[in-house]
Amino acid sequence: MSEELNQGCAPSECGTKPACAGCSHNKNAAPEEEAPKPQPKVRKVIGVVSGKGGVGKSLVAGELAVMLSRMGYRVGVLDADITGPSIPKMFGITEKAMGDGEYIYPAETDTGVKVMSINLLLENDDSPVIWRGPVIAGAVKQFWEEVFWGELDVMVIDMPPGTGDVPLTVFQSIPLSGVVVVSTPQDLVGMIVRKAVNMAGMMNIPVLGLVENMAYALCPDCGKKIELFGKSRIAEEAAQLGLPVLAQLPFDPTAAALCDAGLIETVDNPLMADAAAAVAGQVQL
């Protein structure tokens, strides 16, 4: 005699009675769908992008987050540069992210900025992430959906350079309020800036403005501006694109040293403070 099942039928009978529709051993039963996690409570999301690497995008993203925090906003930083994460080091974060089986909890800096990066999940900070594009893009999406951000006024996303899988995933799956495009003065970068701006336009994401990094160096003796990459064309480029120039940042050895030491929250940068104020106004924070 076969053992009686809780669902009211034997495996051999499953599917022959109306009551069998929900049996666990009925192969025709529809699987239970996992309820989607609620969207993070983030009022505004700002992406920091560049068409190529080496322009100081992560520095701009970190300083933008710091300046917005100083303005009194609740700020988070999502480090989407999975293969080249530098945000945790800038903020002096050494502890790893924790989880409870449902959510991952971001690290929090001394001033209350919440940070999530792949380096907070790796056993060793110098372990390479050797993943293909779709896997990297999936990890970034998880950082948005499965990290418990709490309530934030603004999130800054440090995006990887280029116009590939990860930027596309961010543009399609995260409700961006706008992007800031980072460049340097070289002619080549002008073309790359236009690629990043055009991608944002194709995805219907507002471009909030341009930040030119490494625009000049200041002579330590006389204070004269030295244009190491030649004359800047950011004003002409911005005019052609119909975008504001948010800041032209000089080489700053002091700021670089503070970031290397994990002290980006102590950097004094009035130019980025003005840029942050302009961004906050544009997205109506």
Side-chain angles (χ1 to χ4, degrees):
M1 183 175 180
S2 62
E3 183 179 348
E4 187 174 354
L5 301 175
N6 291 334
Q7 289 86 353
C9 68
S12 60
E13 300 173 322
C14 193
T16 63
K17 303 176 182 178
C20 297
C23 287
S24 60
H25 40 24
N26 181 0
K27 296 180 181 179
N28 296 320
E32 291 186 11
E33 292 187 6
E34 184 178 348
K37 287 185 170 62
Q39 287 286 299
K41 296 178 180 179
V42 181
R43 288 177 52 215
K44 304 292 179 178
V45 184
I46 299 166
V48 179
V49 305
S50 65
K52 67 183 293 294
V55 299
K57 171 186 52 58
S58 295
L59 174 66
V60 171
E63 288 198 9
L64 178 61
V66 168
M67 300 306 164
L68 289 169
S69 178
R70 288 181 188 172
M71 293 169 67
Y73 297 116
R74 297 168 296 178
V75 180
V77 181
L78 192 162
D79 187 358
D81 197 350
I82 300 294
T83 59
S86 53
I87 292 294
K89 180 173 175 58
M90 287 183 184
F91 282 90
I93 297 171
T94 57
E95 70 273 16
K96 300 302 180 182
M98 304 297 290
D100 61 5
E102 182 176 8
Y103 287 104
I104 303 168
Y105 292 87
E108 191 165 331
T109 71
D110 292 340
T111 64
V113 176
K114 294 182 178 180
V115 174
M116 189 62 217
S117 170
I118 192 66
N119 262 15
L120 302 185
L121 300 176
L122 299 176
E123 185 176 350
N124 298 309
D125 289 348
D126 55 1
S127 296
V129 178
I130 309 174
W131 295 346
R132 295 193 183 275
V135 179
I136 294 174
V140 172
K141 191 174 179 181
Q142 284 183 292
F143 284 175
W144 169 253
E145 296 176 344
E146 299 183 21
V147 171
F148 188 81
W149 292 102
E151 294 189 12
L152 298 178
D153 295 310
V154 58
M155 175 184 288
V156 176
I157 301 183
D158 179 21
M159 302 239 276
T163 55
D165 287 328
V166 178
L168 181 61
T169 295
V170 172
F171 284 163
Q172 290 181 328
S173 60
I174 297 178
L176 287 168
S177 307
V179 296
V180 172
V181 179
V182 183
S183 70
T184 53
Q186 301 103 310
D187 283 343
L188 172 64
V189 175
M191 177 188 69
I192 302 301
V193 165
R194 291 190 291 275
K195 286 182 181 289
V197 170
N198 289 337
M199 180 181 184
M202 292 171 67
M203 304 300 296
N204 296 316
I205 305 297
V207 179
L208 304 175
L210 310 180
V211 172
E212 186 176 59
N213 195 28
M214 297 179 275
Y216 56 88
L218 290 175
C219 174
D221 295 324
C222 67
K224 179 182 177 180
K225 287 185 179 181
I226 304 170
E227 296 175 318
L228 299 178
F229 292 120
K231 183 174 176 57
S232 170
R233 292 179 174 82
I234 191 69
E236 293 90 335
E237 193 72 39
Q240 290 180 12
L241 295 169
L243 298 171
V245 177
L246 298 171
Q248 287 181 274
L249 305 177
F251 283 89
D252 189 344
T254 301
L258 289 172
C259 289
D260 286 345
L263 298 171
I264 191 172
E265 291 172 296
T266 67
V267 170
D268 182 20
N269 189 338
L271 296 173
M272 274 307 299
D274 291 343
V279 166
Q282 287 198 62
V283 300
Q284 299 181 341
L285 264 175

